[in-house]
Amino acid sequence: MGMVDHVASRSTCLRYQCGAVIVKDRHVVSVGYSGVPSGLKHCREVGCIRERNGIQSGTRHELCRGAHAEGNAIAYAARYGIGVEGATMYCSRKPCGYCSKFLVGAGIVKVIYREDYPDSLSEEMLSNVEVVKYEPCNT
């Protein structure tokens, strides 16, 4: 989860700095953070559409210039021909319903997350994926 935090520090989202790391066969194969696709101006430069319009977290995902960390990690893997079928994704927050569709479609079999996310659709989408809330060891 330390690597997830490091990746999240690259986020350009004004609301949440989230990170995602995809691991397959004990190797990191892709990472992603919340922010706009490569080549577009960052929200830090042009402002946040969601903030300007008072859009509540967990709703209206289509009204955002950025992508969530999970989606960006999958997109990066796809762009470079990296297979993620059978992999585990570690992420800052529980994937939303929108990202969950891509996780399932990409063949991610396990998700380990730190914080909950207010989106009930993700429960249904991730019904065949092992989902674990990360609990740090206090030893």
Side-chain angles (χ1 to χ4, degrees):
M1 292 305 277
M3 184 175 251
V4 169
D5 294 339
H6 180 71
V7 171
S9 73
R10 306 263 311 145
S11 172
T12 59
C13 179
L14 297 174
R15 283 187 160 187
Y16 295 105
Q17 287 66 55
C18 294
V21 175
I22 300 175
V23 175
K24 185 174 180 182
D25 300 326
R26 300 181 64 158
H27 296 282
V28 173
V29 296
S30 187
V31 300
Y33 51 85
S34 49
V36 298
S38 297
L40 298 179
K41 289 189 176 193
H42 297 292
C43 296
R44 289 181 178 160
E45 299 173 75
V46 299
C48 176
I49 296 168
R50 296 174 65 79
E51 286 291 324
R52 278 197 302 268
N53 292 296
I55 299 168
Q56 186 178 18
S57 181
T59 65
R60 307 294 312 267
H61 299 289
E62 74 279 7
L63 297 177
C64 182
R65 297 179 70 249
H68 290 176
E70 302 91 336
N72 276 330
I74 291 169
Y76 180 87
R79 183 177 193 169
Y80 294 100
I82 301 166
V84 297
E85 186 172 6
T88 296
M89 179 178 281
Y90 294 82
C91 41
S92 301
R93 302 179 92 187
K94 187 174 185 180
C96 69
Y98 191 76
C99 288
S100 296
K101 297 172 196 178
F102 295 108
L103 290 162
V104 171
I108 302 288
V109 296
K110 185 174 184 178
V111 173
I112 300 172
Y113 70 96
R114 180 179 292 121
E115 296 176 33
D116 289 317
Y117 188 82
D119 188 334
S120 59
L121 180 60
S122 68
E123 295 294 326
E124 180 183 343
M125 296 294 107
L126 294 173
S127 63
N128 292 325
V129 174
E130 183 181 357
V131 179
V132 178
K133 185 168 184 175
Y134 174 75
E135 299 293 341
C137 295
N138 292 340
T139 56

